[in-house]
Amino acid sequence: MLKNVTLAPDSSLAHEPRLYRIVAGRIEELIRAEGIGAGERLPPEREMAARLAVSRASLREALIALELRGVVDVRGGSGVYVSRLQPPRAEFDEGGPGPFEVLAARRLVEAEVCASAARMASDSAIEAIRRAVIDMERQHDNYSSNEQLDRNFHLAIARATGNSAMAGAVDHLWKQRGRLWHKLKEHFQTEELRQATLLDHRRILDAIVARDPAGAHAAMRAHLERVTRTFSRG
């Protein structure tokens, strides 16, 4: 059983920069307090999140940051283990927002952008979005190209608004997806999620083609909410 580890609740940490670093430090404290040795498994994520009084999303970001430092080894379907790497690599800090902060911002920004695209898109702009969807479907099995094709789709929607500031905002948010994001995606991006993403993109396209701003807003928000749920819960 875990010993009681008293921590401030997640909400009290929300104003701190790079929350994942704070939570990562608490996990290291837990490892030391519990005497969990190299090669031994940490408690399940749900249990750790409850004992540390943090959200599953915050815990998962912190675990990925610790993995990038060599402190733990995240093994899909098995659990999280203390790494045998000694000493751990240098402190990991991207200097920017964590993956779930970026997703939260994208839910707000891109849902509105998508609604605007449904109102404002020209025929040629809609065709560019359609081509982006078709490219993703055709190259679904080409993992190396998926990231760029996904980016093309979201930027095509932003450009369809006719507002360069909106396109720039979406591009900036996309560029916030750093090492932490890519490691998280590597672990928790499943074939089921990738197939669901294709369906989501089709629904978004259909709403824009139908000139349905409310439907486009809802479709984009639902898409990003589903990604968030998948990455936070596994």
Side-chain angles (χ1 to χ4, degrees), residues 110-182:
E110 292 199 52
E112 293 295 335
V113 166
C114 203
S116 180
R119 286 190 294 267
M120 305 299 296
S122 65
D123 290 345
S124 61
I126 289 176
E127 185 57 31
I129 300 169
R130 192 193 314 276
R131 285 198 305 272
V133 170
I134 292 171
D135 285 345
M136 282 200 75
E137 292 172 342
R138 287 177 175 171
Q139 300 189 51
H140 173 70
D141 294 329
N142 184 354
Y143 297 166
S144 63
S145 68
N146 285 170
E147 181 82 2
Q148 182 61 47
L149 294 175
D150 194 12
R151 178 178 182 274
N152 291 348
F153 170 74
H154 287 273
L155 285 178
I157 292 172
R159 293 182 184 120
T161 66
N163 186 319
S164 61
M166 285 188 182
V170 171
D171 185 44
H172 176 72
L173 285 170
W174 196 270
K175 289 174 180 175
Q176 299 298 302
R177 293 154 55 115
R179 290 176 61 203
L180 211 62
W181 166 270
H182 291 291

Coordinates of all heavy atoms in Angstrom, one line a residue, residues 110-182:
E110 N -9.9 26.3 -32.2 CA -10.2 25.7 -33.5 C -11.7 25.4 -33.7 O -12.2 25.4 -34.8 CB -9.4 24.4 -33.6 CG -7.9 24.7 -33.8 CD -7.2 23.5 -34.4 OE1 -7.6 23.0 -35.4 OE2 -6.2 23.1 -33.8
A111 N -12.5 25.3 -32.6 CA -13.9 25.1 -32.8 C -14.5 26.4 -33.4 O -15.3 26.4 -34.3 CB -14.6 24.8 -31.4
E112 N -14.1 27.6 -32.9 CA -14.5 28.8 -33.4 C -14.0 29.1 -34.9 O -14.8 29.5 -35.7 CB -14.1 30.0 -32.5 CG -14.7 30.0 -31.2 CD -16.2 30.3 -31.2 OE1 -16.7 30.9 -32.2 OE2 -16.9 29.9 -30.3
V113 N -12.8 28.7 -35.1 CA -12.2 28.8 -36.4 C -13.0 27.9 -37.4 O -13.4 28.4 -38.5 CB -10.7 28.4 -36.4 CG1 -10.2 28.2 -37.9 CG2 -9.9 29.4 -35.7
C114 N -13.4 26.7 -37.0 CA -14.1 25.8 -37.9 C -15.5 26.4 -38.2 O -16.0 26.3 -39.3 CB -14.3 24.5 -37.2 SG -14.6 23.1 -38.3
A115 N -16.2 27.0 -37.2 CA -17.5 27.6 -37.4 C -17.3 28.8 -38.4 O -18.2 28.9 -39.3 CB -18.1 28.2 -36.1
S116 N -16.3 29.6 -38.3 CA -16.0 30.7 -39.2 C -15.8 30.1 -40.6 O -16.3 30.7 -41.6 CB -14.8 31.5 -38.7 OG -14.6 32.6 -39.6
A117 N -15.1 29.0 -40.7 CA -14.8 28.5 -42.0 C -16.1 28.0 -42.7 O -16.3 28.2 -43.9 CB -13.8 27.3 -41.9
A118 N -17.0 27.5 -41.9 CA -18.3 27.1 -42.5 C -19.1 28.2 -43.0 O -19.8 28.1 -44.0 CB -19.1 26.3 -41.4
R119 N -18.9 29.4 -42.4 CA -19.6 30.6 -42.9 C -18.9 31.3 -44.1 O -19.5 31.8 -45.0 CB -19.7 31.6 -41.8 CG -20.7 31.3 -40.7 CD -20.9 32.5 -39.8 NE -19.7 32.8 -39.0 CZ -19.4 32.3 -37.8 NH1 -20.3 31.5 -37.2 NH2 -18.3 32.6 -37.2
M120 N -17.5 31.2 -44.1 CA -16.8 32.1 -45.0 C -16.0 31.4 -46.1 O -15.6 32.0 -47.1 CB -15.7 32.9 -44.2 CG -16.3 33.7 -43.0 SD -17.4 34.9 -43.5 CE -16.3 36.0 -44.5
A121 N -15.9 30.1 -46.1 CA -15.0 29.4 -47.0 C -15.5 29.5 -48.5 O -16.7 29.4 -48.8 CB -14.9 27.9 -46.7
S122 N -14.6 29.8 -49.3 CA -14.8 29.8 -50.8 C -14.9 28.3 -51.3 O -14.4 27.4 -50.6 CB -13.8 30.6 -51.5 OG -12.5 29.9 -51.4
D123 N -15.3 28.2 -52.5 CA -15.3 26.8 -53.1 C -13.9 26.2 -53.1 O -13.7 25.0 -52.9 CB -16.0 26.8 -54.5 CG -17.5 27.1 -54.4 OD1 -18.1 27.0 -53.3 OD2 -18.0 27.5 -55.5
S124 N -13.0 27.1 -53.5 CA -11.6 26.6 -53.6 C -11.0 26.2 -52.2 O -10.2 25.2 -52.1 CB -10.7 27.6 -54.3 OG -10.7 28.8 -53.5
A125 N -11.4 27.0 -51.2 CA -10.9 26.7 -49.8 C -11.5 25.4 -49.3 O -10.8 24.5 -48.7 CB -11.3 27.8 -48.9
I126 N -12.8 25.1 -49.7 CA -13.4 23.9 -49.3 C -12.8 22.7 -50.0 O -12.5 21.6 -49.4 CB -14.9 23.9 -49.6 CG1 -15.6 24.8 -48.6 CG2 -15.5 22.5 -49.5 CD1 -17.1 25.0 -48.9
E127 N -12.4 22.9 -51.2 CA -11.7 21.9 -52.0 C -10.3 21.5 -51.4 O -9.9 20.4 -51.4 CB -11.5 22.3 -53.5 CG -10.9 21.2 -54.4 CD -11.7 19.9 -54.4 OE1 -12.9 20.0 -54.2 OE2 -11.1 18.9 -54.5
A128 N -9.7 22.5 -50.9 CA -8.4 22.3 -50.2 C -8.6 21.5 -48.9 O -7.8 20.6 -48.6 CB -7.7 23.7 -49.8
I129 N -9.6 21.7 -48.2 CA -9.9 20.9 -47.0 C -10.3 19.5 -47.4 O -9.8 18.5 -46.8 CB -11.1 21.5 -46.2 CG1 -10.8 22.9 -45.7 CG2 -11.5 20.6 -45.0 CD1 -12.0 23.7 -45.2
R130 N -11.0 19.4 -48.5 CA -11.4 18.0 -49.0 C -10.2 17.2 -49.4 O -10.0 16.0 -49.1 CB -12.4 18.1 -50.2 CG -13.1 16.8 -50.5 CD -13.7 16.9 -51.9 NE -14.6 18.1 -52.0 CZ -15.8 18.2 -51.6 NH1 -16.4 17.2 -51.0 NH2 -16.5 19.4 -51.7
R131 N -9.2 17.9 -50.1 CA -8.0 17.2 -50.5 C -7.2 16.8 -49.3 O -6.6 15.7 -49.3 CB -7.2 18.2 -51.4 CG -7.7 18.3 -52.8 CD -6.6 18.9 -53.7 NE -6.0 20.1 -53.2 CZ -6.5 21.4 -53.5 NH1 -7.6 21.5 -54.2 NH2 -6.0 22.4 -53.0
A132 N -7.2 17.6 -48.3 CA -6.4 17.2 -47.1 C -7.0 16.0 -46.4 O -6.3 15.1 -45.9 CB -6.4 18.4 -46.1
V133 N -8.3 15.9 -46.4 CA -9.0 14.7 -45.8 C -8.7 13.5 -46.7 O -8.3 12.4 -46.2 CB -10.5 14.9 -45.8 CG1 -11.2 13.6 -45.4 CG2 -10.9 16.0 -44.7
I134 N -8.8 13.6 -48.0 CA -8.5 12.5 -48.9 C -7.0 12.0 -48.8 O -6.8 10.8 -48.8 CB -8.8 12.9 -50.4 CG1 -10.3 13.1 -50.5 CG2 -8.3 11.8 -51.3 CD1 -10.7 13.6 -51.9
D135 N -6.1 13.0 -48.7 CA -4.7 12.6 -48.5 C -4.5 11.8 -47.2 O -3.7 10.8 -47.2 CB -3.8 13.9 -48.4 CG -3.7 14.5 -49.8 OD1 -3.9 13.9 -50.8 OD2 -3.2 15.7 -49.8
M136 N -5.2 12.2 -46.1 CA -5.0 11.4 -44.9 C -5.6 10.0 -45.0 O -5.0 9.0 -44.5 CB -5.7 12.1 -43.7 CG -5.0 13.3 -43.2 SD -5.5 13.8 -41.5 CE -4.8 12.5 -40.5
E137 N -6.7 9.9 -45.7 CA -7.3 8.6 -45.9 C -6.5 7.7 -46.8 O -6.3 6.5 -46.5 CB -8.7 8.8 -46.5 CG -9.7 9.4 -45.5 CD -11.0 9.8 -46.2 OE1 -11.1 9.8 -47.4 OE2 -12.0 10.0 -45.5
R138 N -5.9 8.3 -47.8 CA -5.1 7.5 -48.8 C -3.8 7.0 -48.1 O -3.2 6.0 -48.4 CB -4.8 8.3 -50.0 CG -6.0 8.4 -51.0 CD -5.7 9.3 -52.1 NE -6.8 9.3 -53.1 CZ -6.9 10.1 -54.1 NH1 -5.9 11.0 -54.4 NH2 -7.9 10.1 -55.0
Q139 N -3.2 7.9 -47.3 CA -1.9 7.6 -46.7 C -2.0 7.2 -45.2 O -1.1 7.4 -44.4 CB -1.0 8.8 -46.8 CG -0.8 9.2 -48.3 CD 0.3 10.2 -48.5 OE1 1.4 10.1 -47.9 NE2 0.0 11.3 -49.2
H140 N -3.1 6.6 -44.9 CA -3.4 6.2 -43.5 C -2.3 5.3 -42.9 O -2.0 5.5 -41.7 CB -4.8 5.5 -43.4 CG -5.1 4.9 -42.1 ND1 -5.4 5.7 -41.0 CD2 -5.1 3.6 -41.6 CE1 -5.6 4.9 -39.9 NE2 -5.5 3.7 -40.3
D141 N -1.8 4.4 -43.7 CA -0.8 3.5 -43.2 C 0.6 4.0 -43.2 O 1.6 3.4 -42.8 CB -0.9 2.2 -44.0 CG -2.2 1.4 -43.8 OD1 -2.7 1.6 -42.7 OD2 -2.6 0.8 -44.7
N142 N 0.8 5.2 -43.8 CA 2.1 5.9 -43.8 C 2.3 6.7 -42.6 O 2.0 7.9 -42.6 CB 2.2 6.7 -45.1 CG 3.6 7.3 -45.3 OD1 4.5 7.2 -44.4 ND2 3.9 7.9 -46.4
Y143 N 2.7 6.1 -41.5 CA 2.8 6.8 -40.2 C 3.7 8.0 -40.2 O 3.4 9.0 -39.6 CB 3.3 5.8 -39.1 CG 2.4 4.6 -38.8 CD1 2.9 3.6 -38.1 CD2 1.1 4.6 -39.4 CE1 2.0 2.5 -37.9 CE2 0.3 3.5 -39.1 CZ 0.8 2.4 -38.4 OH -0.1 1.4 -38.2
S144 N 4.8 8.0 -41.0 CA 5.7 9.1 -41.0 C 5.1 10.4 -41.6 O 5.5 11.5 -41.3 CB 6.9 8.7 -41.9 OG 6.6 8.5 -43.2
S145 N 4.0 10.2 -42.4 CA 3.4 11.4 -43.1 C 2.1 11.8 -42.3 O 1.6 12.9 -42.6 CB 3.0 11.1 -44.5 OG 2.0 10.1 -44.6
N146 N 1.7 11.1 -41.4 CA 0.4 11.4 -40.7 C 0.4 12.7 -40.0 O -0.6 13.5 -40.1 CB 0.0 10.3 -39.7 CG -0.5 9.0 -40.3 OD1 -0.6 8.0 -39.6 ND2 -0.7 9.0 -41.6
E147 N 1.5 13.1 -39.3 CA 1.6 14.3 -38.6 C 1.4 15.5 -39.5 O 0.6 16.4 -39.3 CB 2.9 14.4 -37.8 CG 3.1 15.6 -37.0 CD 2.4 15.6 -35.6 OE1 1.8 14.5 -35.3 OE2 2.4 16.6 -34.9
Q148 N 2.2 15.5 -40.6 CA 2.1 16.6 -41.6 C 0.7 16.7 -42.2 O 0.2 17.8 -42.4 CB 3.2 16.5 -42.6 CG 3.2 17.6 -43.6 CD 3.5 19.0 -42.9 OE1 4.4 19.1 -42.1 NE2 2.8 20.0 -43.3
L149 N 0.1 15.6 -42.6 CA -1.2 15.6 -43.2 C -2.2 16.1 -42.3 O -3.2 16.8 -42.7 CB -1.5 14.1 -43.7 CG -0.6 13.6 -44.9 CD1 -0.9 12.2 -45.2 CD2 -0.7 14.5 -46.1
D150 N -2.1 15.7 -41.0 CA -3.1 16.2 -40.0 C -3.0 17.7 -39.9 O -4.0 18.4 -39.8 CB -2.8 15.5 -38.7 CG -3.9 15.6 -37.7 OD1 -5.0 16.1 -38.1 OD2 -3.7 15.3 -36.5
R151 N -1.7 18.2 -39.8 CA -1.5 19.6 -39.8 C -2.1 20.3 -41.0 O -2.7 21.4 -40.9 CB 0.0 19.9 -39.7 CG 0.4 21.4 -39.7 CD 1.9 21.5 -39.5 NE 2.3 22.9 -39.4 CZ 2.5 23.7 -40.5 NH1 2.4 23.2 -41.7 NH2 2.9 24.9 -40.3
N152 N -1.9 19.7 -42.2 CA -2.4 20.3 -43.4 C -4.0 20.5 -43.3 O -4.5 21.5 -43.8 CB -2.1 19.5 -44.6 CG -0.6 19.5 -44.9 OD1 0.2 20.3 -44.4 ND2 -0.2 18.5 -45.8
F153 N -4.6 19.5 -42.8 CA -6.1 19.6 -42.6 C -6.5 20.7 -41.7 O -7.4 21.5 -42.1 CB -6.6 18.2 -42.1 CG -8.0 18.3 -41.7 CD1 -9.1 18.2 -42.6 CD2 -8.4 18.3 -40.3 CE1 -10.4 18.2 -42.2 CE2 -9.7 18.3 -39.9 CZ -10.7 18.3 -40.9
H154 N -5.9 20.8 -40.6 CA -6.3 21.9 -39.6 C -6.0 23.3 -40.1 O -6.7 24.2 -39.9 CB -5.7 21.6 -38.3 CG -6.3 20.5 -37.5 ND1 -7.4 20.6 -36.7 CD2 -6.0 19.1 -37.5 CE1 -7.8 19.4 -36.2 NE2 -7.0 18.5 -36.7
L155 N -4.8 23.4 -40.8 CA -4.5 24.7 -41.4 C -5.3 25.1 -42.6 O -5.6 26.2 -42.8 CB -3.0 24.7 -41.8 CG -2.0 24.8 -40.6 CD1 -0.6 24.7 -41.1 CD2 -2.2 26.1 -39.8
A156 N -5.8 24.1 -43.3 CA -6.6 24.3 -44.5 C -8.0 24.9 -44.0 O -8.5 25.9 -44.6 CB -6.9 23.1 -45.3
I157 N -8.5 24.4 -42.9 CA -9.7 25.0 -42.3 C -9.4 26.4 -41.8 O -10.3 27.3 -42.1 CB -10.1 24.1 -41.1 CG1 -10.6 22.8 -41.6 CG2 -11.3 24.8 -40.3 CD1 -10.9 21.8 -40.5
A158 N -8.3 26.7 -41.1 CA -8.0 28.0 -40.7 C -7.9 29.0 -41.8 O -8.4 30.1 -41.8 CB -6.7 28.0 -39.8
R159 N -7.2 28.6 -42.9 CA -7.1 29.5 -44.1 C -8.4 29.7 -44.7 O -8.6 30.8 -45.3 CB -6.1 28.8 -45.0 CG -4.7 28.8 -44.5 CD -3.7 28.2 -45.6 NE -2.4 28.0 -45.0 CZ -1.7 26.8 -44.9 NH1 -2.3 25.7 -45.4 NH2 -0.5 26.8 -44.4
A160 N -9.3 28.8 -44.6 CA -10.7 28.9 -45.2 C -11.5 30.1 -44.6 O -12.4 30.5 -45.2 CB -11.4 27.6 -45.1
T161 N -11.1 30.5 -43.4 CA -11.8 31.6 -42.8 C -11.5 33.0 -43.5 O -12.2 33.9 -43.4 CB -11.4 31.8 -41.3 OG1 -10.0 32.2 -41.3 CG2 -11.6 30.5 -40.6
G162 N -10.4 33.0 -44.3 CA -10.0 34.2 -44.9 C -9.3 35.2 -44.0 O -9.0 36.3 -44.3
N163 N -9.0 34.7 -42.8 CA -8.4 35.6 -41.7 C -7.0 35.1 -41.4 O -6.9 34.0 -40.8 CB -9.3 35.5 -40.5 CG -8.9 36.5 -39.4 OD1 -7.7 36.6 -39.1 ND2 -9.8 37.2 -38.7
S164 N -6.0 35.8 -41.8 CA -4.6 35.3 -41.7 C -4.2 35.2 -40.2 O -3.4 34.4 -39.8 CB -3.7 36.2 -42.4 OG -3.7 37.6 -41.9
A165 N -4.9 36.1 -39.3 CA -4.6 36.0 -37.9 C -5.0 34.7 -37.3 O -4.4 34.1 -36.5 CB -5.2 37.2 -37.2
M166 N -6.2 34.2 -37.8 CA -6.7 32.9 -37.3 C -5.8 31.8 -37.8 O -5.5 30.9 -37.0 CB -8.1 32.7 -37.8 CG -9.2 33.5 -37.1 SD -10.9 32.9 -37.6 CE -11.9 34.1 -36.7
A167 N -5.4 31.9 -39.0 CA -4.5 30.8 -39.5 C -3.2 30.8 -38.8 O -2.6 29.8 -38.4 CB -4.2 31.1 -41.0
G168 N -2.7 32.0 -38.4 CA -1.5 32.1 -37.7 C -1.6 31.6 -36.2 O -0.7 30.9 -35.7
A169 N -2.8 31.8 -35.6 CA -3.0 31.3 -34.3 C -3.0 29.7 -34.3 O -2.5 29.1 -33.4 CB -4.4 31.8 -33.8
V170 N -3.7 29.1 -35.3 CA -3.7 27.7 -35.4 C -2.3 27.1 -35.6 O -1.9 26.1 -35.0 CB -4.7 27.2 -36.5 CG1 -4.6 25.7 -36.7 CG2 -6.2 27.6 -36.1
D171 N -1.6 27.8 -36.5 CA -0.2 27.3 -36.8 C 0.6 27.4 -35.5 O 1.4 26.5 -35.2 CB 0.4 28.2 -37.9 CG 1.7 27.7 -38.3 OD1 1.9 26.5 -38.5 OD2 2.6 28.6 -38.5
H172 N 0.5 28.5 -34.7 CA 1.2 28.6 -33.5 C 0.9 27.5 -32.5 O 1.8 26.9 -31.9 CB 1.0 30.0 -32.9 CG 1.6 30.2 -31.5 ND1 3.0 30.4 -31.4 CD2 1.1 30.2 -30.3 CE1 3.3 30.5 -30.2 NE2 2.2 30.4 -29.4
L173 N -0.4 27.2 -32.4 CA -0.8 26.2 -31.4 C -0.2 24.8 -31.9 O 0.2 24.0 -31.1 CB -2.3 26.1 -31.4 CG -3.0 27.2 -30.5 CD1 -4.5 27.1 -30.7 CD2 -2.6 27.0 -29.1
W174 N -0.2 24.6 -33.2 CA 0.4 23.3 -33.7 C 1.8 23.2 -33.4 O 2.3 22.1 -33.0 CB 0.2 23.3 -35.2 CG 0.4 21.9 -35.7 CD1 1.5 21.3 -36.2 CD2 -0.7 20.9 -35.9 NE1 1.3 20.0 -36.6 CE2 0.0 19.7 -36.4 CE3 -2.0 20.8 -35.6 CZ2 -0.7 18.6 -36.6 CZ3 -2.7 19.7 -35.8 CH2 -2.1 18.5 -36.3
K175 N 2.6 24.3 -33.4 CA 4.0 24.3 -33.2 C 4.3 24.1 -31.7 O 5.5 23.9 -31.3 CB 4.6 25.6 -33.7 CG 4.7 25.7 -35.2 CD 5.2 27.0 -35.7 CE 5.2 27.1 -37.2 NZ 5.6 28.4 -37.7
Q176 N 3.3 24.2 -30.8 CA 3.5 24.0 -29.4 C 3.6 22.5 -29.1 O 3.9 22.1 -27.9 CB 2.3 24.6 -28.6 CG 2.2 26.1 -28.7 CD 3.4 26.8 -28.2 OE1 3.8 26.7 -27.1 NE2 4.0 27.6 -29.1
R177 N 3.4 21.6 -30.0 CA 3.4 20.2 -29.8 C 4.9 19.7 -29.9 O 5.4 19.4 -30.9 CB 2.6 19.5 -31.0 CG 1.1 19.8 -30.9 CD 0.4 19.6 -32.3 NE 0.7 18.4 -32.9 CZ -0.3 17.5 -33.2 NH1 -1.5 17.7 -32.8 NH2 0.0 16.3 -33.8
G178 N 5.5 19.7 -28.7 CA 6.9 19.4 -28.6 C 7.2 17.9 -28.3 O 6.4 17.1 -28.5
R179 N 8.3 17.7 -27.6 CA 8.7 16.3 -27.4 C 7.8 15.6 -26.4 O 7.5 14.4 -26.6 CB 10.1 16.3 -26.7 CG 11.3 16.7 -27.6 CD 12.6 16.8 -26.9 NE 12.9 15.5 -26.3 CZ 13.8 15.4 -25.2 NH1 14.3 16.5 -24.7 NH2 14.1 14.2 -24.8
L180 N 7.2 16.3 -25.5 CA 6.3 15.7 -24.6 C 5.0 15.2 -25.3 O 4.6 14.1 -25.1 CB 5.8 16.8 -23.5 CG 5.5 16.2 -22.1 CD1 6.7 15.6 -21.5 CD2 5.0 17.4 -21.3
W181 N 4.5 16.0 -26.2 CA 3.4 15.6 -27.0 C 3.7 14.4 -27.9 O 2.9 13.4 -27.9 CB 2.9 16.8 -28.0 CG 2.0 16.3 -29.0 CD1 2.3 15.8 -30.3 CD2 0.6 16.2 -28.9 NE1 1.2 15.5 -31.0 CE2 0.1 15.7 -30.2 CE3 -0.3 16.5 -27.9 CZ2 -1.2 15.5 -30.4 CZ3 -1.7 16.3 -28.2 CH2 -2.1 15.8 -29.4
H182 N 4.8 14.4 -28.5 CA 5.1 13.3 -29.5 C 5.4 12.0 -28.7 O 5.0 10.9 -29.2 CB 6.3 13.7 -30.3 CG 6.0 14.7 -31.3 ND1 5.1 14.5 -32.4 CD2 6.4 16.1 -31.4 CE1 5.0 15.7 -33.1 NE2 5.7 16.6 -32.5

